Amino acid sequence: MNGSSVLRKHSLKNVLSIFESRFFSSTSEATFETKPFKLHKLENGPSTTVTLSSEDAIKYYKQMQTIRRIETAAGNLYKEKIVRGFCHLYSGQEACAVGMKAMFRDTDSIITAYRAHGWTYLMGVDPFSVLSELTGRKSGNARGKGGSMHMYAKNFYGGNGIVGAQVPLGAGIALAAKYLGTGGVCFTLYGDGAANQGQVFEAYNMSKLWDIPCVYVCENNGYGMGTSSERASASVAYYTRGDYIPGIWVDGMDILAVREAARFAIDYCSSGKGPLVMETATYRYSGHSMSDPGTSYRTRDEIQEVRQTRDPITSFKEKIIGANLVNIDELKQIDKEIKAQIDDAVKRAKADTEIPLSELSGDIYAKPLETKVRGVSPFESLEHIRIGQAVNLN
Amino acid sequence: MAFTISFHKPSALTNTVKILKRSLNTTRVLANKQMTVRDALNSAMDDEMERDERVFILGEEVAMYDGAYKVSRGLYKKYGEKRVIDTPITEIGFAGIAVGAAMAGLRPICEFMTFNFSLQAIDHVINSAAKTFYMSAGLVNVPIVFRGPNGAAAGVAAQHSQCFGAWYSQCPGLKVISPYNSEDARGLLKAAIRDPDPVVFLENELLYGNQYPITDEVLDKDFVLPIGKAKIERKGDHITFVAHSKGVELALDAAKELSSVGIEAEVINLRSLRPLDINTIIQSVVRTNHIISIEQGWPYAGIGSEISAQIMESEAFYHLDAPVIRVTGADVPMPYTKSLEIAALPQINNIVDAAKKLLGV
């Protein structure tokens, strides 16, 4: 994967780079070549020639680096026993999310599984709110009631804890887009582990029958918990497993490749051709969740090798510096800012308070029909209260 | 019965024959229109689809076949394939699609050919539909109706004869409705479709073809019944029968039989299982001092168990002259054998006998 995207042409070399402002790079645009896409039942795929502006380069770098920092902070908070229960980290997979999000229009939606922190941030939620959800505090995205796996935003339907269940849900979100004529598509994400769930194939079938604009994205990080994809799947060519649904294999460690595939997928699905499957080949550095050291079913060397040769952030950084889209000082400054931002968010997420006990019986129903909710004994009657802005109330 | 009920309230029985059958006004009933439960459900969906473009039906055989039990008859012709969608036989998939569509702003009616098959999809009913509003701290509500026939049909054996009332009622976040007659079916289904929360709507196949009198008010396009409110189907002072769905029919028949021996039973039609209208039950028990719950579902952790527990925890307990008794389906999987099937389901005489035992007559 190393060097899969190489600098192809870059005509303008600015010899006076030493005098440049640290906030502006010498080149405003560069072109790269991605690793070839593998196609299933498609005559043409995404373009392997990718153009990137310096503005976008900085944006993507910032987004990927922010996700990495959020996840590092989440891992630390877990080790400090401040984050409870489950905590699944996205480190190593950042290019998948940032690449897709880069192409989203206002009408496009996304639903994912339980590795949701990065997506929540990308869909507009402040890192402080993501981290506060992890610490279970009131400034959390779901007021601390959802935790690591259940966060939401406009066009972002979570954060789902049941492996594979989000797949038909995503098809349903896409069905709604078609029904309402919004022109949007739904990116429906699942891992290589969930790819074997029966309901995935039920959703494939119906979405193809009904030409639902759903982009099924199998983020193949190589392992479903501790079972490698080869040990769990009779076919690991996940992009072909929609059978009658066309598919694309994408280098999920290259944000530009993912972006091009997402561009293609949106065009394809919103032109009425029905669903598409997209496999992003990626890797997770951490264990499945925090209770998994991630070393019994794979070697430390394997993880180290990916970190050194395929890391989505490092490789992108080298690429954009090499193309003179940004300079190293600029990136150092960004790193510093992100670190400060996340450090501050962590501090506030720790200091924040939990919601009051009265919210135990809050928002069970959008239209509650009873005012009283039973507590742990008949002597502990609770009051149903409404707090959140139910989006489908009327 | 593991114990003998020896205590009763004879005083209540002494003045039994006072208001015998006065309340039955047959001329009014005859003047009313009749409607089957099937047509009541069908007209409810038709009304709501006309009223709100976002309402659509999906499920197995709902469109071209006109519904496995003909509940959606004619709707495909009227509304077309966009709004009446035949699905393959893949419950978890189409239930998940329906929930996703509801999250994204539509108002799906997800038909299970029978609720037995909802077990294939129960994860989406419970984990995707019921819990999302709470987990999202009140952001993403899921306006969906899961409906279809529930409970025992006739001669279809164990896998196709089960009541899911207790199963779904246990989960906070769901509203669960179990209608009895045409008025219930029409008023409550319309209310369920308009409701912004997930509703499980448990119909009964054996009641689909039954005709019940309905008024013009029930036929009105804006007629809805409140979810969570029970209805007293029959007034009585000696004992309370509380039932839902087919159980209401049994309770009414038992009450009629008891009336001939001077026992007047009050029959409460629960209509909703969650919320449970416990206040109506308590008020009745305070007057009658005796209560029997009647359901076709299993006894273990059933609807009757819940009613019994809630009575124990309420002031009604102090008004009881006898323990709460449950008349339920037997604690066995449903046999195909005809004689055994009858023995596995509550019959009128079971209720009559239980009532007499309770009242000490």
Side-chain angles (χ1 to χ4, degrees):
Chain A
M1 208 108 355
N2 192 23
S4 64
S5 308
V6 292
L7 177 61
R8 210 178 69 156
K9 65 174 185 200
H10 172 238
S11 49
L12 292 172
K13 288 252 180 213
N14 194 332
V15 287
L16 298 173
S17 64
I18 195 164
F19 296 115
E20 277 172 9
S21 153
R22 62 188 304 148
F23 298 108
F24 295 96
S25 51
S26 53
T27 309
S28 63
E29 206 173 272
T31 305
F32 302 91
E33 193 70 14
T34 72
K35 213 175 190 182
F37 298 95
K38 293 180 205 167
L39 304 179
H40 170 67
K41 296 206 168 152
L42 283 172
E43 296 208 346
N44 302 301
S47 166
T48 51
T49 306
V50 187
T51 307
L52 177 67
S53 69
S54 64
E55 194 187 330
D56 282 344
I58 290 169
K59 182 174 147 194
Y60 304 153
Y61 179 81
K62 267 186 187 168
Q63 289 178 331
M64 289 200 287
Q65 199 65 295
T66 303
I67 295 174
R68 181 72 56 95
R69 279 278 169 200
I70 289 173
E71 296 298 54
T72 306
N76 291 337
L77 285 166
Y78 189 91
K79 284 170 200 146
E80 289 175 55
K81 297 192 188 307
I82 296 168
V83 174
R84 303 163 65 239
F86 297 110
C87 186
H88 310 88
L89 305 183
Y90 204 57
S91 304
Q93 303 183 214
E94 296 89 347
C96 300
V98 175
M100 281 180 252
K101 176 65 174 68
M103 295 314 302
F104 278 16
R105 304 158 301 173
D106 285 348
T107 48
D108 297 323
S109 306
I110 181 243
I111 185 165
T112 188
Y114 40 77
R115 222 172 282 287
H117 313 160
W119 270 109
T120 312
Y121 150 71
L122 283 180
M123 293 306 286
V125 176
D126 189 83
F128 165 58
S129 184
V130 174
L131 290 164
S132 300
E133 190 58 37
L134 293 175
T135 59
R137 309 301 162 89
K138 70 173 188 309
S139 305
N141 169 256
R143 301 182 67 75
K145 288 168 88 174
S148 166
M149 305 189 289
H150 307 295
M151 305 190 207
Y152 309 83
K154 184 175 185 288
N155 293 344
F156 176 46
Y157 294 86
N160 288 270
I162 308 293
V163 173
Q166 78 279 10
V167 177
L169 294 175
I173 293 159
L175 171 88
K178 185 180 176 181
Y179 189 105
L180 298 167
T182 66
V185 307
C186 182
F187 281 74
T188 301
L189 276 59
Y190 54 98
D192 49 288
N196 300 315
Q197 270 270 355
Q199 59 186 314
V200 172
F201 299 92
E202 296 191 13
Y204 281 169
N205 183 43
M206 283 178 271
S207 59
K208 183 63 183 174
L209 277 172
W210 306 335
D211 285 335
I212 292 178
C214 184
V215 186
Y216 294 100
V217 182
C218 177
E219 289 183 282
N220 177 7
N221 64 21
Y223 300 91
M225 282 194 73
T227 306
S228 69
S229 50
E230 289 80 8
R231 292 179 62 230
S233 299
S235 161
V236 292
Y238 295 101
Y239 68 107
T240 67
R241 288 183 59 179
D243 184 7
Y244 37 76
I245 302 177
I248 309 170
W249 178 95
V250 191
D251 175 6
M253 301 303 255
D254 179 0
I255 186 225
L256 299 178
V258 177
R259 191 186 69 169
E260 283 318 297
R263 187 198 310 274
F264 179 89
I266 289 172
D267 284 350
Y268 181 93
C269 292
S270 46
S271 68
K273 290 178 186 153
L276 192 76
V277 175
M278 183 169 137
E279 173 186 351
T280 59
T282 182
Y283 197 81
R284 80 168 135 76
Y285 294 148
S286 310
H288 162 74
S289 65
M290 293 307 293
S291 57
D292 166 27
T295 48
S296 65
Y297 50 87
R298 59 182 184 181
T299 61
R300 285 181 200 281
D301 289 349
E302 177 185 303
I303 305 166
Q304 268 317 100
E305 200 203 321
V306 179
R307 274 191 188 276
Q308 280 161 10
T309 60
R310 291 168 57 197
D311 184 78
I313 301 178
T314 312
S315 61
F316 185 64
K317 188 176 172 179
E318 285 166 2
K319 204 177 293 178
I320 58 179
I321 290 172
N324 225 10
L325 284 168
V326 289
N327 67 51
I328 194 143
D329 288 344
E330 234 172 311
L331 297 185
K332 275 184 183 157
Q333 180 62 25
I334 289 168
D335 289 349
K336 227 166 91 182
E337 283 166 12
I338 292 170
K339 185 181 180 308
Q341 185 199 6
I342 303 301
D343 285 351
D344 176 60
V346 167
K347 237 178 258 163
R348 285 155 60 216
K350 279 183 183 177
D352 199 17
T353 54
E354 292 187 357
I355 49 174
L357 284 178
S358 59
E359 290 195 36
L360 172 60
S361 47
D363 294 323
I364 304 166
Y365 295 98
K367 185 184 170 191
L369 301 172
E370 289 175 307
T371 50
K372 296 287 178 205
V373 174
R374 194 195 141 103
V376 294
S377 85
F379 315 113
E380 322 264 334
S381 187
L382 312 171
E383 192 91 20
H384 190 294
I385 51 173
R386 281 282 293 108
I387 294 159
Q389 299 285 322
V391 289
N392 300 309
L393 202 53
N394 297 308
Chain B
M1 188 84 42
F3 57 90
T4 318
I5 298 153
S6 54
F7 48 99
H8 53 92
K9 202 180 176 189
S11 61
L13 280 177
T14 47
N15 48 1
T16 45
V17 204
K18 52 182 182 184
I19 6 166
L20 208 66
K21 289 180 183 173
R22 275 277 173 78
S23 56
L24 262 181
N25 186 341
T26 45
T27 48
R28 195 173 61 86
V29 173
L30 286 175
N32 283 335
K33 295 186 181 80
Q34 300 272 317
M35 191 181 225
T36 62
V37 170
R38 176 180 288 110
D39 288 344
L41 295 166
N42 180 275
S43 66
M45 292 195 287
D46 192 0
D47 282 5
E48 296 310 303
M49 288 180 78
E50 210 166 81
R51 179 176 174 268
D52 186 346
E53 280 280 326
R54 298 168 302 173
V55 177
F56 72 102
I57 306 171
L58 83 171
E60 293 150 7
E61 309 295 353
V62 296
M64 294 181 83
Y65 193 86
D66 265 343
Y69 295 95
K70 308 298 170 200
V71 173
S72 56
R73 179 184 281 154
L75 297 178
Y76 171 67
K77 274 210 182 85
K78 183 166 175 186
Y79 295 101
E81 63 181 9
K82 182 185 175 189
R83 300 183 67 195
V84 185
I85 305 171
D86 273 332
T87 67
I89 309 166
T90 52
E91 282 83 6
I92 190 167
F94 75 71
I97 286 176
V99 173
M103 287 173 171
L106 298 184
R107 301 264 164 164
I109 302 170
C110 177
E111 176 174 310
F112 291 120
M113 191 184 288
T114 83
F115 261 92
N116 302 289
F117 314 144
S118 78
L119 287 194
Q120 296 263 359
I122 196 166
D123 177 56
H124 283 299
V125 182
I126 304 291
N127 276 318
S128 304
K131 296 178 186 171
T132 297
F133 191 58
Y134 190 83
M135 291 194 302
S136 65
L139 188 68
V140 185
N141 62 307
V142 184
I144 186 170
V145 177
F146 299 101
R147 52 152 292 272
N150 167 66
V156 291
Q159 291 180 338
H160 290 74
S161 306
Q162 185 179 341
C163 175
F164 290 92
W167 284 56
Y168 288 114
S169 298
Q170 221 235 343
C171 180
L174 289 180
K175 293 169 180 172
V176 181
I177 296 172
S178 182
Y180 157 56
N181 60 16
S182 303
E183 177 182 326
D184 291 1
R186 187 171 150 77
L188 289 167
L189 184 53
K190 284 163 69 72
I193 295 167
R194 293 182 191 189
D195 198 275
D197 291 308
V199 180
V200 171
F201 196 88
L202 304 168
E203 299 155 13
N204 188 298
E205 185 201 328
L206 300 177
L207 296 175
Y208 278 154
N210 285 11
Q211 298 251 8
Y212 292 96
I214 47 157
T215 60
D216 286 338
E217 187 203 349
V218 174
L219 290 173
D220 193 279
K221 284 201 184 306
D222 287 325
F223 175 73
V224 286
L225 284 172
I227 299 171
K229 293 281 175 243
K231 184 191 178 193
I232 297 172
E233 293 283 348
R234 185 186 194 281
K235 279 281 187 191
D237 290 330
H238 303 136
I239 187 164
T240 301
F241 291 162
V242 54
H244 66 96
S245 187
K246 182 96 175 140
V248 177
E249 186 180 67
L250 294 169
L252 286 168
D253 288 346
K256 203 187 281 174
E257 199 173 315
L258 286 166
S259 185
S260 65
V261 296
I263 298 170
E264 295 303 331
E266 180 142 301
V267 177
I268 297 175
N269 169 8
L270 279 174
R271 285 184 164 170
S272 298
L273 303 180
R274 187 184 188 101
L276 185 72
D277 188 358
I278 193 69
N279 288 335
T280 295
I281 301 170
I282 289 172
Q283 280 162 23
S284 179
V285 170
V286 165
R287 268 191 306 106
T288 65
N289 316 108
H290 300 85
I291 181 166
I292 294 176
S293 70
I294 297 136
E295 67 191 301
Q296 289 198 309
W298 286 316
Y300 199 106
I303 298 298
S305 315
E306 179 59 25
I307 290 169
S308 176
Q310 290 202 28
I311 287 173
M312 292 291 280
E313 289 176 352
S314 78
E315 54 149 323
F317 170 74
Y318 301 104
H319 293 267
L320 285 176
D321 287 343
V324 179
I325 292 296
R326 296 169 294 159
V327 173
T328 67
D331 202 11
V332 295
M334 186 63 71
Y336 170 71
T337 326
K338 198 172 181 187
S339 53
L340 268 56
E341 186 188 74
I342 294 167
L345 288 168
Q347 308 296 331
I348 298 164
N349 67 301
N350 303 125
I351 304 166
V352 169
D353 290 352
K356 286 180 176 170
K357 216 166 248 178
L358 215 64
L359 293 165
V361 294

